[in-house]
Amino acid sequence: MRLPRFTYLPAASVAEAVQLLGDGPDTQLVAGGTDLYPKMKRRQLRPRVLVGLGGVDELRGIHANGTVSIGAGTRLHELAVAPEVVERFPALARAASLVASAQIRNAGTVGGNLCVDTRCNYYDIPYERRCAHGSCLKAEGDVCALAPGGDRCWAVSSTDLAPVAHVLNGSVRLVGPRGERTVPIAALYTMDDGIDYLRKERDEVLTRLELPPDEGLRVTYVKFRRRGAIDFPLLGVAAAVRTDENGVCVDARLVLGAVATAPLPVPDAARALVGSSLGDDAIAEAAEIAAGSAKPMDALDLPPSYRKRMVAAHVARAFRELRDAAP
Ligand SMILES: Cc1cc2nc3c(=O)[nH]c(=O)nc-3n(C[C@H](O)[C@H](O)[C@H](O)COP(=O)(O)OP(=O)(O)OC[C@H]3O[C@@H](n4cnc5c(N)ncnc54)[C@H](O)[C@@H]3O)c2cc1C
């Protein structure tokens, strides 16, 4: 598969990237290109102009004061081994270390991961096969191949970092022609719209991921995928608990990845743990509530009914890990 023709414009600064993006709807940002280039080869995306962020130094680097601020251009491998991230937000470092493969983590960036396109079996096939078998709503077609009766796209959010950033109450900085704004990760994604999945304007650049301090919160990320060496998540579980001096849970959070068009918070499951000592029964109840809330569809590998059962298994595993890691 070959890349289609396009013009590449390297930006030297965020301001220049914003200005170049203003050239029109056929213009798109590229960072590591690990998601965008394969999509262009499969003719899923056809930008005529790419604005390269690789040379924008202000997007690099991790700064830690109270808040940890991670440049959007930081490579996933750098994030996975950065001492200030490993020490303060080990679940985020773990999520980064579980993305794709070593080669992709060396090229893929934090900004690209948070903005990564949604995925679906019917969308992620080459153009020729889409032409032969019928296309889908997110590509050239006008009917969702997954749910032909509806008018929505159910392609799945597949970012490993976003669920963890969500439980950490993270936010992103967006810079555009109208200025700069902060958007909580919890408000960055659109539920039930796999096409317009980001609440970011087309001409905005995501510049930083910011994580506030959260003393005493224990956080983990558990990923379920077919091949451990290289694969998108079939399920991501970001879970967090805070316990008092008696081991009683006073705060719990749960966000699932890869089960909906956006990272899916499950507050009811988390609430079932508050006031408990994180015993097996309380964890099993939370896990069942989570599995009930998740409605995986036939958009990814493995049958949806199996992936739903995996939600209960992996949520339980995540909370047991947090309980057993108590100081
Ligand atoms: C085989 C394979 C396996 C993969 N496995 C995983 C996986 O397990 N988990 C996972 O999360 N991802 C996975 N990916 C997807 C991808 O590699 C990663 O998400 C990666 O982090 C994307 O970063 P990038 O810099 O390469 O993004 P790019 O491909 O450069 O861009 C991706 C999207 O983000 C936009 N973008 C990039 N930077 C910015 C910015 N600063 N501001 C605004 N928009 C921006 C681009 O316009 C584009 O729409 C996989 C990809 C492949 C090919």
Side-chain angles (χ1 to χ4, degrees):
M1 286 187 290
R2 291 195 175 161
L3 276 170
R5 284 191 167 279
F6 64 91
T7 303
Y8 181 80
L9 302 176
S13 64
V14 171
E16 191 182 9
V18 170
Q19 188 204 335
L20 292 170
L21 270 180
D23 282 354
D26 286 342
T27 307
Q28 192 166 347
L29 295 171
V30 62
T34 61
D35 193 62
L36 186 55
Y37 290 139
K39 294 239 144 110
M40 288 171 66
K41 286 183 177 180
R42 292 193 293 258
R43 305 314 190 249
Q44 290 160 287
L45 299 170
R46 303 168 193 231
R48 287 197 306 189
V49 179
L50 288 185
V51 176
L53 295 176
V56 181
D57 288 342
E58 62 197 288
L59 292 178
R60 304 299 289 271
I62 299 173
H63 308 294
N65 291 317
T67 294
V68 171
S69 172
I70 301 162
T74 306
R75 310 273 171 202
L76 295 169
H77 172 69
E78 294 167 344
L79 181 69
V81 299
E84 51 278 68
V85 179
V86 172
E87 198 177 298
R88 292 195 35 202
F89 302 111
L92 190 71
R94 183 197 275 188
S97 77
L98 293 174
V99 172
S101 65
Q103 292 90 336
I104 289 174
R105 290 192 296 274
N106 279 331
T109 64
V110 169
N113 191 275
L114 293 172
C115 296
V116 76
D117 199 5
T118 52
R119 301 180 64 236
C120 175
N121 288 334
Y122 297 93
Y123 171 62
D124 289 327
I125 53 177
Y127 177 63
E128 292 73 15
R129 278 184 57 204
R130 292 202 306 276
C131 290
H133 298 292
S135 189
C136 79
L137 209 54
K138 192 167 158 75
E140 305 81 9
D142 47 19
V143 175
C144 171
L146 198 61
D151 57 359
R152 289 190 174 175
C153 165
W154 299 101
V156 176
S157 167
S158 298
T159 152
D160 275 305
L161 296 188
V164 185
H166 190 150
V167 294
L168 289 168
N169 283 337
S171 56
V172 292
R173 306 281 293 167
L174 299 177
V175 176
R178 294 159 297 282
E180 186 165 2
R181 62 190 179 119
T182 300
V183 177
I185 290 285
L188 184 62
Y189 301 95
T190 319
M191 196 51 87
D192 297 345
D193 187 348
I195 296 173
D196 205 2
Y197 60 94
L198 270 183
R199 293 214 189 108
K200 174 185 95 55
E201 299 300 328
R202 195 199 58 78
D203 52 7
E204 285 180 314
V205 179
L206 191 159
T207 57
R208 307 203 76 80
L209 168 64
E210 297 187 329
L211 303 171
D214 215 338
E215 288 303 317
L217 190 74
R218 303 200 294 278
V219 188
T220 189
Y221 182 66
V222 175
K223 176 171 177 174
F224 172 58
R225 56 180 165 172
R226 190 184 273 271
R227 299 167 297 182
I230 175 170
D231 255 330
F232 279 95
L234 296 174
L235 167 68
V237 176
V241 295
R242 190 194 312 277
T243 50
D244 66 13
E245 60 282 5
N246 300 315
V248 174
C249 176
V250 293
D251 182 13
R253 303 174 197 170
L254 178 65
V255 177
L256 303 178
V259 294
T261 63
L264 180 72
V266 198
D268 289 350
R271 261 194 298 275
L273 293 169
V274 174
S276 80
S277 301
L278 298 174
D280 285 345
D281 288 348
I283 287 177
E285 186 190 341
E288 284 308 321
I289 295 172
S293 302
K295 301 198 170 30
M297 296 176 77
D298 198 16
L300 301 179
D301 194 9
L302 298 178
S305 57
Y306 178 72
R307 297 207 324 272
K308 196 172 173 70
R309 291 213 311 277
M310 288 300 101
V311 173
H314 285 78
V315 167
R317 180 175 298 176
F319 282 117
R320 281 199 305 267
E321 181 191 318
L322 291 172
R323 175 192 64 196
D324 297 344

